[in-house]
Amino acid sequence: MQINLLGKNIALTEAIKDYVLKRVTNLEKLLSNIEEGGGEVKVAFEVGKSTCHHKSGEIFHADCLIKINGKEFYSSADKEDLYQAIDAIKDSLYNEINKNTNRSQTLLYRGA
């Protein structure tokens, strides 16, 4: 699995890097079966502040794009806390990837 982490208008500290990697590795439970089958997984994660001059409101922005064998899964979130934005993305992507794998298995069983 290849993970690219990018920070915009924010310094990427070790705490932020560790938190993002921990959340992405939670998704690895779903992605490990794909990698064992010879598939390729690329993750592009971007965190940052939406603006530099705002002091309140939804100022932290996080994006994640996961490419799995040509299929793309994307999620983004704006929150007041950076860690909440990262958690929201993880939950959204988990549901989307799980729904896609369940759908393909169901179609296989039905013979479609």
Side-chain angles (χ1 to χ4, degrees):
M1 178 186 319
Q2 179 182 356
I3 301 172
N4 294 332
L5 181 59
L6 176 68
K8 290 197 173 183
N9 298 330
I10 193 170
L12 286 177
T13 62
E14 287 298 320
I16 294 172
K17 289 179 186 177
D18 291 341
Y19 195 79
V20 168
L21 291 177
K22 188 168 87 170
R23 293 300 176 229
V24 170
T25 53
N26 283 345
L27 290 174
E28 195 170 350
K29 294 173 186 175
L30 287 176
L31 304 176
S32 63
N33 295 333
I34 296 167
E35 287 184 330
E36 289 174 1
E40 184 178 346
V41 178
K42 293 183 180 179
V43 179
F45 212 101
E46 179 181 319
V47 294
K49 287 186 177 182
S50 58
T51 58
C52 293
H53 64 277
H54 286 113
K55 301 293 183 197
S56 64
E58 296 180 346
I59 59 170
F60 288 104
H61 182 77
D63 286 327
C64 186
L65 176 68
I66 298 178
K67 293 182 182 181
I68 303 171
N69 295 335
K71 294 181 183 179
E72 294 185 353
F73 301 97
Y74 175 78
S75 181
S76 67
D78 291 317
K79 298 284 183 180
E80 293 180 6
D81 184 29
L82 179 62
Y83 298 113
Q84 289 176 353
I86 294 169
D87 288 339
I89 285 179
K90 183 203 67 107
D91 293 338
S92 173
L93 285 173
Y94 182 84
N95 291 336
E96 191 174 340
I97 293 170
N98 198 18
K99 181 175 76 172
N100 187 42
T101 56
N102 287 342
R103 182 176 185 274
S104 63
Q105 288 174 353
T106 301
L107 290 176
L108 178 70
Y109 293 145
R110 282 195 284 171

